[in-house]
Amino acid sequence: MSGSTKAMTIVTCAVLVLITAYTVALGSSGWLWFGWIVLGVATIGMAAADSTEALTPPRRPRAGGTGPAPR
């Protein structure tokens, strides 16, 4: 996992704790939970993109340079 994905995961968990405390203290708010679900899906998407990026090999430059061969 990259640093930004770890940070996003930590923020998502912290927001979950805060929303749970808010719900216990003041009552449930559907918009807060909906926002947390959107944040969680975005975090899962970042983690998935990060893991597939690690699986793809780096591209090597073509032999003979970057442009077409001279005539």
Side-chain angles (χ1 to χ4, degrees), residues 4-61:
S4 59
T5 305
K6 286 181 184 178
M8 184 84 161
T9 304
I10 291 169
V11 167
T12 302
C13 291
V15 170
L16 174 63
V17 169
L18 291 173
I19 290 174
T20 303
Y22 179 91
T23 299
V24 168
L26 300 174
S28 182
S29 170
W31 284 109
L32 286 177
W33 286 106
F34 176 74
W36 183 82
I37 289 170
V38 170
L39 181 63
V41 168
T43 303
I44 291 169
M46 278 184 69
D50 199 25
S51 67
T52 58
E53 187 177 293
L55 296 177
T56 56
R59 291 181 177 237
R60 290 188 281 162

